[in-house]
Amino acid sequence: MAEVKIRGISKAYSSGVPVLKGVDLDIHAGELFFLLGPSGCGKSTLLRILAGLVKPDTGSISFDGVDILSLPPEKRRAAMVFQNYALWPNMDVFENVAFGLRTAGVKGRELEDKVMEVLELVQLADFAKRSVPSLSGGQQQRIALARALAVDPALLLLDEPLSNLDARLRDAMRSEIRRICSLRNLTALYVTHDRQEALSMADRIGVMHHGLIREIDAPENLYNFPETRFCAEFLGDMNFLNGKISDGKISTAFGEFKLNGKNYPVCAAGIRPERIKIVEQDLPGSFEAILEERTFSGESCDWIFNANGERLAVRESAPAKRNTGGTYRLYFEPEFLLAVNSAELD
């Protein structure tokens, strides 16, 4: 494992449009760090710069204090797991995993022990002599992970590795990758646009937009207390309330409420749908709303309420039967009504 320091990394391709705009980032040793953002935000470019596949225009990167930008890819000890697995179909599982080790000059018993050790780790030791095309997508992704682990990388790079799997396999592989990274105490950088992957797996998340990392924090903090409107919306559904904001409060059509957060020059007030509760009693700060729509999804239901002209989404787990057109009381804890920076991001 390695401590990674990224300073001032910028990159523009032939069009001249900057993809990365001076990125700064610290990844702690043994940390599973996620870069989360929409397509084109620069996250995969940063990953490829770390791997040595792309050269940055400016900046520096160090592993444990050693500058690695001048080193060729094979000397950086940064192993990459690709979205499309990048396995050789003409080689069996053992030879796919052994490829990087053979390139590094590992031979004989040492090579066999290392290959079988990582195949045991990904629970595919019995598949060593199987052909790659005979494996399922999940098994191929495990082999790709084993090949990266075999070379004992200082930094493990994962480029949207689960995007080609179906939902059930994705869920299983999330747990598997998290288990392996924890067991091996790996420093890993995982790139994805899937917020559920990031929230369920990461030690910390960096949210990227327009070539910069906008916010970094633990998943729970980023989800519950985002500082920017972009981050709030990208990480999940959010109600943004109409009303006048001043002195840390918002006056809405259904009441005045205190905001949790900073006083930004351009401010919006938001609350997540699951933070609004449907209550029976007349709690202080609760208000009436008319139920207009419902969307049932099994374990939860999304309701749309109209509170004196303001439409509010409410998410309820184990939902009770409710009638559209009916009047209900809604309530939320003030700490979850957030002031977020809604200024346009460059």
Side-chain angles (χ1 to χ4, degrees):
M1 62 178 179
E3 183 177 40
V4 179
K5 291 187 179 295
I6 298 169
R7 295 290 182 270
I9 291 293
S10 65
K11 180 64 182 178
Y13 290 110
S14 56
S15 63
V17 177
V19 178
L20 297 173
K21 303 174 182 178
V23 171
D24 294 329
L25 174 63
D26 289 345
I27 303 173
H28 307 319
E31 179 177 42
L32 177 52
F33 190 95
F34 269 66
L35 278 179
L36 174 68
S39 298
C41 70
K43 57 188 186 298
S44 290
T45 296
L46 183 59
L47 200 75
R48 282 162 170 72
I49 288 172
L50 283 159
L53 305 178
V54 173
K55 185 177 180 181
D57 297 330
T58 64
S60 64
I61 300 175
S62 66
F63 293 176
D64 289 332
V66 178
D67 178 67
I68 57 97
L69 283 183
S70 60
L71 300 177
E74 66 274 12
K75 297 292 185 181
R76 296 188 180 193
R77 293 188 59 216
M80 195 160 179
V81 180
F82 294 92
Q83 179 179 342
N84 63 354
Y85 318 141
L87 299 175
W88 286 274
N90 59 314
M91 297 181 185
D92 63 20
V93 166
F94 183 96
E95 289 302 324
N96 266 277
V97 176
F99 184 85
L101 292 168
R102 291 192 191 281
T103 303
V106 180
K107 300 177 182 178
R109 184 70 181 185
E110 182 184 3
L111 182 140
E112 184 174 345
D113 288 346
K114 284 181 175 291
V115 170
M116 295 312 298
E117 178 190 351
V118 292
L119 285 177
E120 289 277 3
L121 187 65
V122 299
Q123 301 176 352
L124 289 175
D126 293 340
F127 289 67
K129 295 306 177 184
R130 290 275 295 271
S131 67
V132 166
S134 70
L135 303 179
S136 69
Q139 289 167 340
Q140 290 189 41
Q141 192 56 278
R142 291 185 188 208
I143 297 306
L145 181 59
R147 181 179 58 189
L149 296 174
V151 297
D152 192 24
L155 177 64
L156 179 65
L157 303 170
L158 301 116
D159 188 10
E160 305 208 39
L162 308 184
S163 60
N164 289 334
L165 303 180
D166 62 38
R168 192 174 65 83
L169 277 175
R170 278 200 305 273
D171 289 344
M173 283 302 297
R174 286 175 190 172
S175 299
E176 188 71 0
I177 290 172
R178 178 76 191 170
R179 177 186 70 84
I180 290 169
C181 286
S182 177
L183 192 63
R184 295 288 287 260
N185 202 22
L186 291 167
T187 305
L189 178 60
Y190 190 123
V191 158
T192 186
H193 64 272
D194 187 322
R195 69 192 186 196
Q196 291 302 325
E197 277 184 23
L199 290 170
S200 64
M201 296 173 64
D203 292 320
R204 288 190 303 151
I205 300 171
V207 181
M208 287 197 74
H209 185 58
H210 290 172
L212 287 170
I213 299 175
R214 303 296 179 168
E215 294 188 51
I216 299 175
D217 212 328
E220 295 88 347
N221 292 338
L222 273 182
Y223 182 81
N224 289 319
F225 305 106
E227 294 186 357
T228 64
R229 180 163 182 154
F230 172 79
C231 185
E233 291 180 308
F234 197 79
L235 283 169
D237 296 330
M238 180 75 92
N239 292 292
F240 286 100
L241 308 185
N242 296 309
K244 182 180 179 181
I245 297 175
S246 64
D247 299 325
K249 296 180 180 179
I250 181 170
S251 297
T252 73
F254 51 90
E256 182 177 84
F257 303 92
K258 183 180 178 181
L259 295 174
N260 182 21
K262 302 174 184 177
N263 291 319
Y264 297 102
V266 184
C267 191
I271 187 164
R272 300 243 181 246
E274 66 272 17
R275 293 297 180 185
I276 305 176
K277 306 301 181 185
I278 305 168
V279 295
E280 299 295 332
Q281 62 271 45
D282 186 5
L283 297 173
S286 64
F287 52 93
E288 287 190 343
I290 298 171
L291 178 58
E292 293 188 337
E293 300 174 23
R294 70 186 291 271
T295 302
F296 180 69
S297 57
E299 70 277 6
S300 66
C301 190
D302 286 353
W303 312 99
I304 301 296
F305 285 90
N306 188 313
N308 201 16
E310 178 86 58
R311 284 169 63 85
L312 295 171
V314 178
R315 182 165 297 134
E316 188 179 32
S317 59
K321 181 176 175 58
R322 305 188 189 281
N323 298 316
T324 56
T327 299
Y328 298 87
R329 293 203 71 82
L330 304 182
Y331 173 78
F332 52 79
E333 295 287 347
E335 67 176 301
F336 294 111
L337 181 58
L338 307 177
V340 296
N341 186 355
S342 63
E344 289 294 322
L345 300 178
D346 57 10

